[in-house]
Amino acid sequence: MRNKSLAIGLAIASAFSFGTASAQQSHPLAPLAPLPDKVAPPVNGIYSSIVRIEAATQVPNYREPWKAGNFSGGIGTGFLIGPNKFLTNAHVVSNARRLLITVHGSPQKHPARIVHIAHDCDLALLEVEDFTPFKGMEFLEIGLVPKLESQVRVIGYPVGGNRISVTRGVVSRIDFSSYSHTRSDQHLIVQIDAAINPGNSGGPVLQNGRVVGVAFQGLRSADNTGYMIPTPVVKRFLTDIKDGQYDHYVDLGISEFALFNPAMRKKFGLGPNSPGVLVAAVTPDGPCDGVLEDNDILTAINGNAVDAAGNILIDGEKVNLNEIVERKFAGDQIKLQIIRNGETMEKVATLKPFPPARMYAVQYGVNPRFTTFAGMVFQPLDRNLYAAHNFKNTRVRRLFAHYIDEEIFKERKDIVILTRMLSDPVTTHVSNHAGRAIESINGEKVTSLEQAHQLLHPTTTPEFFVIKCEGVERPIIVPGNKAKEASERTMRNYGISQAYRLEE
Amino acid sequence: MKFFSLLSLTSAAMLCLAHAAADVKNSLVRVNSTLQTWSASQPWDKSAPSSRGALGVLLQGKQVLTTAEMAANSTYIELENADSTRTLPAKVVAIDYESNLALLAPDNGDTEGFFKDLSPIALGEATHIGDKVDIWQLEDNGMPLITQATVQSVDIVSSFVRGHYFLTYEAKASMQSASSSFSLPAVKDGKLLGLLSSYDSKDQIIDIIAPEIIAAFIADAADGEYLGFPSLGIGINSTVDPSFRLWLKLPEDVGGLYVTRVRKGSAADQAGILKGDVLLSIGGKTIGRRGYYDDDNYGRLFWSHLIRGQHKVGDSVKVTVLREGEKKEFTAVLSRPGKNLIPSHTLDQSPNYLVKGGFIFQELSVSYLSAFGKDWQSTAPLNLLDAMASPEDYEKGRNKLVFLSATIPTPATTGYESLRNFIIAKINGQEIADIPSLIKAFETPGSDRLHTIEFADGQPKTIYLDARISDAIDAELLKRGIPALSRG
């Protein structure tokens, strides 16, 4: 399962090191190769294909979801990869209400719009309304994954000035790691020792005149550490959108446990050098549900031998086995060789999107869903809500953390949270309930926001509305004949402009 | 003339004060204690000791009263007289962590010599709001330092162990710091009114443990077998909310508390009180919507004082509840709260543990969780916090919650280094109720000489440990200075 929290992702990432791999490839003391891109194409040609993107954004308010949100903005970089095709980061243009593109050395601003946006891999494709001024400009070509220790150039419009900026760095790590934009996705990542600053985002990282990555994030706790999205991820995005729409990444839906322990290896009858990683858990309803089982040993994926740590060898680099799935699309089949109860067998899993995993991904460009009732605000739990409210209640934290592995999603499309109690004569003495999950309304288990809304607004008004929160014995009571009046009063008094929004 | 009369009055008052000072000073001793807790992460180790100085008061029978805070986790307690001419080792006779009281007695020393010039103080009666009391301190040189305080309110307060509330006087006075400034006696008319449990220097408010609570503690300890304060065993919620009252069908003329929880096996449970009942009165005292009743002596007091402050274990109490609109009367025989799956404290207890091949297993307690720091309620592991919040989900088949607290990297635990904070379900096929049952289960590995460890909530769910290698590791760990591989 890769759709866990950022902290877990980072911990996993730090466990995989390519230090030994790099030592084998080139001796650490060997002199650095001369700069490969010294004889690059004319700089002006490339510079004018690297554009400045100005975004005016409107960020939804998950604390007071009826509000319009905060108007704000930011700067990023993009580059031309084809006729009216500008590539940039999704986070540069997320929640944008207006986009303007500026060419290096030109004062003119060109209105642009998003054609495709992929939050899970932090990439977006833009187009300008009028491409005429860009005619004749060079299209940057997408290259391969750069080698460790090789030099690259980062070009963009980072903070500290308005003009284009160029920095150089060395590829210092190639790893499977977290993409911070959604806080829940992990893909291949290339680390370079050039600083990537706000504004650099979406800019090209070049080697030999070709794009080897898209600069996208830095590390606050370390100096001179930048990260770029490598070309396999970029190419996958460009392939995915060929049919006119972007589909989400697909996951294998298993979590692996490294088989280093001798007792563990003995129990499963594995020799000291035999391949295979333990399947520690299979995501319910995921692509491997019914295909793999807990305690299977995964020995090969699409013919690539899986080692005890769950790594495979691709292009001479050891990478996590999920890298195979990374380059696949929904509907693709994956061949899995396993050992189950000492018996070797072949299994086939068909990859598919897994909507419940949305719980853990930050959502952009959507309006928060909510409903209100007698001064109470109800919202569905997801990463955005979690980040906005910082829930302390252990039940809520547990429902969030185990939404998938404990199969809560099968019963509950939404975990509905009572996020706020606005004081009103009808509910003023209810305390200790805000920040908790709703268990039932009028005796019916709550399974989605929409259903909760229906239960709170039935055709025939009950004598009492009885709302029960998880972990609180004392229910919230609203007399039926006072509910409508209390709803109207709280909306008026607290400036709630909209009573509910059930669709994003 | 007027001037003179005023002068003489003042000197008379001073004389009187000096006389009282001599009396009470003879009942004061310093209590010097060395306290030491067990390490949460390495349960075979004790953490660095700390010293505290406090005051105690001498009662009848050569016993000294102080707060539990001064005696809990103590490794050595010493009594010292006011002018520091004599000391005497002491031991704890009775300790009540909930009410924060401890009774000390001499332990192998010159008892006769120490008590020769001392005289016990008598326990005073309850006082009233507005009364003046004297707070006693001792300076380094042995001189008494007396501060007059005014009792401003009476409340029930939790002073040491979280969640246990007892009758407490709140008095106002500006106090100075002096040596041994903990557990100071509050004295009225030459008698002990109470013990100071805390002082807020900003608001200048003193919390004094009330004489009724001290009297009950001393009476309980008198037979040598200390039981502790009784409990009813319910959780409650106020009934102020008019909508809630309407739903409960509560008439306007009654107060009442909504019963949210009845602890299994508790006095309330045995009496027949149910979750959802509305508690109307205890022992004939009507309970209001916020849980207060009219106390004959103190005015409005929280209902729990009717149980904990006025009764002892074994007493019968009449409880009236409203159930589905009907009044019902029950008789509850008060008892001590039952054992918790996850104890709220482990004071004076050495934590049970087992080291196996590098795995450290422990029994979960709130003390363990609170070792995660100031924000432990959000930073401690979520699964362990959940067990604390909802122990009823974990109680089946368990006396205590056994979990893997840490993994020492050893040849036996290769590849398991990152495993920690997993709750244990079974070892070698046997269900684990506590550390003793864990130790027993590890005695019988499988025929392949492998131990099977099943987690209740881990990924992976099952791991294996080589019995032969882990036994060798255990012997090695002993050589490296772990004093014992298990306790419990």
Side-chain angles (χ1 to χ4, degrees):
Chain A
M1 253 305 298
R2 288 180 288 132
N3 300 311
K4 278 280 168 70
S5 73
L6 179 66
I8 294 167
L10 283 175
I12 292 166
S14 63
F16 294 104
S17 165
F18 286 79
T20 48
S22 76
Q24 282 160 6
Q25 270 183 355
S26 63
H27 194 275
L29 295 177
L32 286 179
L35 288 185
D37 50 351
K38 240 181 189 159
V39 268
V43 279
N44 273 343
I46 274 197
Y47 282 1
S48 52
S49 302
I50 299 166
V51 298
R52 186 169 186 264
I53 299 170
E54 227 173 291
T57 58
Q58 188 183 357
V59 182
N61 187 334
Y62 278 78
R63 287 189 66 82
E64 289 152 303
W66 52 88
K67 287 192 175 171
N70 294 331
F71 292 95
S72 166
I75 301 291
T77 308
F79 55 100
L80 199 57
I81 57 165
N84 207 1
K85 284 181 177 171
F86 295 88
L87 190 67
T88 186
N89 283 142
H91 76 256
V92 170
V93 296
S94 289
N95 295 322
R97 288 284 177 250
R98 189 205 64 182
L99 291 169
L100 295 175
I101 279 180
T102 325
V103 181
H104 171 60
S106 154
Q108 219 186 331
K109 293 185 177 186
H110 308 275
R113 57 178 166 252
I114 298 168
V115 185
H116 292 290
I117 186 157
H119 296 289
D120 56 356
C121 60
D122 201 358
L123 290 170
L125 198 68
L126 314 183
E127 65 180 15
V128 286
E129 283 169 10
D130 177 14
F131 191 62
T132 332
F134 296 87
K135 287 248 163 73
M137 283 183 188
E138 199 179 322
F139 302 145
L140 298 191
E141 204 180 317
I142 311 288
L144 300 171
V145 178
K147 295 286 177 209
L148 272 169
E149 291 200 47
S150 65
Q151 291 211 14
V152 292
R153 291 191 298 159
V154 184
I155 307 181
Y157 297 88
V159 287
N162 287 326
R163 301 188 60 120
I164 206 157
S165 148
V166 185
T167 51
R168 278 174 197 276
V170 167
V171 174
S172 43
R173 200 200 305 249
I174 302 171
D175 205 347
F176 200 75
S177 191
S178 292
Y179 279 41
S180 66
H181 181 53
T182 58
R183 301 209 205 159
S184 78
D185 288 278
Q186 285 198 347
H187 309 291
L188 199 64
I189 229 172
V190 172
Q191 184 188 322
I192 52 180
D193 70 352
I196 288 180
N197 291 312
N200 262 130
S201 286
V205 180
L206 300 166
Q207 190 176 68
N208 293 331
R210 285 190 175 157
V211 177
V212 291
V214 179
F216 83 123
Q217 63 191 33
L219 200 60
R220 277 203 196 102
S221 58
D223 283 341
N224 282 338
T225 305
Y227 294 100
M228 63 183 201
I229 301 171
T231 50
V233 178
V234 176
K235 284 175 180 166
R236 188 198 179 279
F237 167 67
L238 295 174
T239 310
D240 190 318
I241 57 177
K242 269 184 184 154
D243 62 355
Q245 68 161 19
Y246 180 72
D247 306 308
H248 201 269
Y249 259 83
V250 279
D251 247 349
L252 203 51
I254 58 167
S255 65
E256 313 98 49
F257 185 76
L259 280 173
F260 295 143
N261 189 274
M264 208 79 165
R265 297 190 70 83
K266 185 177 164 192
K267 188 73 192 180
F268 290 110
L270 300 171
N273 295 315
S274 48
V277 72
L278 183 73
V279 177
V282 180
T283 306
D285 279 3
C288 288
D289 190 6
V291 178
L292 298 187
E293 293 173 4
D294 287 5
N295 293 334
D296 282 350
I297 314 282
L298 181 58
T299 51
I301 175 164
N302 274 5
N304 298 276
V306 176
D307 72 12
N311 290 330
I312 53 170
L313 200 64
I314 300 184
D315 303 334
E317 296 278 4
K318 277 264 182 181
V319 289
N320 184 280
L321 67 92
N322 283 295
E323 189 53 33
I324 291 281
V325 185
E326 283 285 299
R327 303 178 190 196
K328 301 288 178 193
F329 299 89
D332 286 353
Q333 293 195 323
I334 295 280
K335 271 190 286 183
L336 303 163
Q337 193 187 65
I338 58 162
I339 303 173
R340 181 178 296 167
N341 302 324
E343 218 177 299
T344 303
M345 47 183 93
E346 286 275 347
K347 296 276 176 183
V348 175
T350 305
L351 298 175
K352 58 178 182 184
F354 187 58
R358 258 186 75 135
M359 172 66 88
Y360 301 113
V362 181
Q363 303 297 313
Y364 297 93
V366 294
N367 290 313
R369 294 183 290 144
F370 71 98
T371 187
T372 57
F373 177 74
M376 290 175 260
V377 183
F378 300 89
Q379 292 176 266
L381 184 63
D382 60 18
R383 174 72 73 182
N384 295 41
L385 194 75
Y386 204 89
H389 286 271
N390 187 19
F391 295 112
K392 291 257 192 316
N393 181 262
T394 38
R395 266 301 147 102
V396 171
R397 289 171 61 199
R398 208 183 140 77
L399 284 167
F400 184 70
H402 296 290
Y403 183 63
I404 289 171
D405 64 7
E406 288 186 357
E407 308 191 14
I408 299 163
F409 70 90
K410 287 188 178 173
E411 265 191 19
R412 298 165 80 167
K413 187 177 150 287
D414 293 318
I415 306 287
V416 177
I417 307 285
L418 172 62
T419 53
R420 227 170 244 276
M421 298 265 339
L422 302 166
S423 264
D424 180 84
V426 173
T427 52
T428 185
H429 289 287
V430 179
S431 58
N432 201 23
H433 288 77
R436 296 193 182 245
I438 302 298
E439 187 175 304
S440 66
I441 296 172
N442 298 336
E444 286 225 35
K445 275 201 182 314
V446 170
T447 57
S448 75
L449 181 75
E450 193 154 22
Q451 175 231 15
H453 179 81
Q454 302 302 341
L455 291 172
L456 292 170
H457 302 89
T459 40
T460 45
T461 308
E463 189 189 357
F464 293 104
F465 286 96
V466 182
I467 302 166
K468 198 171 167 318
C469 294
E470 290 202 25
V472 192
E473 280 305 324
R474 175 245 203 265
I476 301 168
I477 304 296
V478 177
N481 58 3
K482 292 183 184 167
K484 191 163 177 284
E485 171 198 356
S487 292
E488 285 166 3
R489 186 168 48 224
T490 44
M491 284 189 68
R492 199 169 54 240
N493 290 347
Y494 293 91
I496 300 172
S497 48
Q498 191 179 347
Y500 61 90
R501 185 192 296 121
L502 303 175
E503 304 284 325
E504 286 177 337
Chain B
M1 282 314 279
K2 221 170 185 186
F3 176 74
F4 276 109
S5 71
L6 189 69
L7 190 75
S8 64
L9 255 175
T10 315
S11 60
M14 272 170 71
L15 255 174
C16 177
L17 198 66
H19 177 67
D23 278 354
V24 178
K25 190 186 160 191
N26 287 342
S27 316
L28 281 185
V29 292
R30 297 181 203 270
V31 177
N32 305 323
S33 41
T34 307
L35 313 174
Q36 208 177 10
T37 56
W38 291 92
S39 157
S41 56
Q42 311 207 104
W44 50 85
D45 281 337
K46 281 193 155 188
S47 44
S50 62
S51 300
R52 288 183 95 170
L55 287 190
V57 284
L58 180 64
L59 303 175
Q60 289 294 344
K62 297 190 173 58
Q63 293 192 325
V64 171
L65 181 74
T66 187
T67 54
E69 234 175 320
M70 289 303 130
N73 292 323
S74 62
T75 45
Y76 178 64
I77 302 178
E78 183 193 70
L79 304 178
E80 181 185 331
N81 64 0
D83 50 16
S84 303
T85 53
R86 287 175 187 278
T87 60
L88 184 68
K91 63 183 179 197
V92 177
V93 178
I95 185 162
D96 192 286
Y97 310 107
E98 298 167 0
S99 63
N100 197 7
L101 290 169
L103 207 52
L104 311 176
D107 187 23
N108 292 328
D110 180 10
T111 311
E112 292 312 313
F114 186 84
F115 288 108
K116 189 162 52 86
D117 301 324
L118 297 177
S119 52
I121 192 169
L123 193 59
E125 297 289 312
T127 190
H128 302 96
I129 292 169
D131 284 355
K132 304 260 191 268
V133 298
D134 290 331
I135 309 294
W136 280 73
Q137 287 170 284
L138 280 180
E139 303 248 41
D140 270 341
N141 58 13
M143 290 297 288
L145 184 65
I146 304 162
T147 310
Q148 199 178 59
T150 310
V151 176
Q152 289 201 317
S153 63
V154 180
D155 201 354
I156 62 149
V157 172
S158 162
S159 73
F160 185 34
V161 175
R162 259 167 28 109
H164 293 280
Y165 297 86
F166 287 90
L167 187 70
T168 304
Y169 292 147
E170 293 186 329
K172 184 117 181 162
S174 168
M175 304 227 317
Q176 50 190 303
S177 59
S179 66
S180 318
S181 273
F182 294 98
S183 308
L184 305 174
V187 177
K188 187 165 177 278
D189 305 329
K191 288 182 174 175
L192 180 69
L193 182 75
L195 273 191
L196 183 140
S197 62
S198 81
Y199 174 58
D200 179 341
S201 59
K202 192 168 140 274
D203 291 341
Q204 304 189 338
I205 293 288
I206 301 163
D207 278 0
I208 301 165
I209 305 169
E212 294 95 318
I213 304 301
I214 295 176
F217 169 70
I218 293 168
D220 189 345
D223 60 358
E225 194 191 341
Y226 187 73
L227 290 174
F229 287 87
S231 109
L232 191 56
I234 57 168
I236 52 92
N237 207 291
S238 85
T239 60
V240 179
D241 178 7
S243 307
F244 191 47
R245 294 184 67 83
L246 214 58
W247 181 69
L248 289 170
K249 300 186 176 64
L250 284 179
E252 268 309 298
D253 59 343
V254 305
L257 283 173
Y258 182 69
V259 177
T260 56
R261 203 164 53 95
V262 179
R263 195 202 278 260
K264 226 176 150 209
S266 67
D269 184 31
Q270 310 244 323
I273 295 167
L274 299 177
K275 193 166 87 176
D277 285 351
V278 177
L279 188 61
L280 296 180
S281 73
I282 294 176
K285 294 282 184 193
T286 311
I287 294 167
R289 297 174 185 197
R290 284 192 193 275
Y292 292 90
Y293 74 96
D294 272 320
D295 189 87
D296 297 338
N297 202 26
Y298 300 113
R300 300 292 281 172
L301 265 192
F302 201 59
W303 71 278
S304 70
H305 182 65
L306 286 170
I307 303 292
R308 306 212 91 178
Q310 301 196 345
H311 288 286
K312 58 182 192 300
V313 170
D315 284 2
S316 292
V317 176
K318 288 252 181 294
V319 179
T320 315
V321 304
L322 197 72
R323 186 180 294 168
E324 283 155 12
E326 256 182 75
K327 270 191 190 178
K328 286 183 181 286
E329 193 160 284
F330 297 98
T331 304
V333 182
L334 300 180
S335 55
R336 284 288 298 156
K339 287 245 183 302
N340 277 337
L341 179 73
I342 296 156
S344 59
H345 67 83
T346 50
L347 297 162
D348 287 320
Q349 286 168 39
S350 16
N352 285 348
Y353 71 91
L354 173 72
V355 177
K356 193 78 203 164
F359 283 140
I360 304 170
F361 300 97
Q362 294 200 58
E363 290 172 352
L364 187 63
S365 66
V366 177
S367 308
Y368 179 85
L369 291 169
S370 51
F372 279 85
K374 191 163 62 73
D375 299 324
W376 63 271
Q377 275 162 310
S378 50
T379 55
L382 180 58
N383 61 332
L384 301 185
L385 286 174
D386 186 64
M388 186 193 79
S390 326
E392 59 281 0
D393 294 356
Y394 298 82
E395 265 163 1
K396 198 168 165 285
R398 288 191 174 100
N399 302 324
K400 290 282 180 295
L401 194 84
V402 178
F403 69 108
L404 174 67
S405 70
T407 302
I408 305 170
T410 69
T413 58
T414 306
Y416 298 152
E417 294 85 352
S418 63
L419 303 184
R420 64 177 62 93
N421 301 322
F422 289 164
I423 295 166
I424 306 298
K426 287 179 182 177
I427 302 285
N428 294 326
Q430 298 174 42
E431 292 199 2
I432 300 306
D434 44 27
I435 287 288
S437 74
L438 181 88
I439 294 171
K440 197 163 172 294
F442 266 120
E443 285 167 5
T444 48
S447 54
D448 49 6
R449 300 298 296 155
L450 295 181
H451 292 298
T452 306
I453 300 170
E454 288 174 64
F455 300 120
D457 55 356
Q459 281 186 3
K461 291 183 187 74
T462 309
I463 59 166
Y464 302 92
L465 191 68
D466 192 297
R468 195 182 48 82
I469 299 175
S470 53
D471 287 349
I473 298 291
D474 289 346
E476 193 63 32
L477 289 171
L478 283 172
K479 278 190 216 158
R480 286 200 210 155
I482 293 184
L485 293 168
S486 68
R487 188 192 294 126

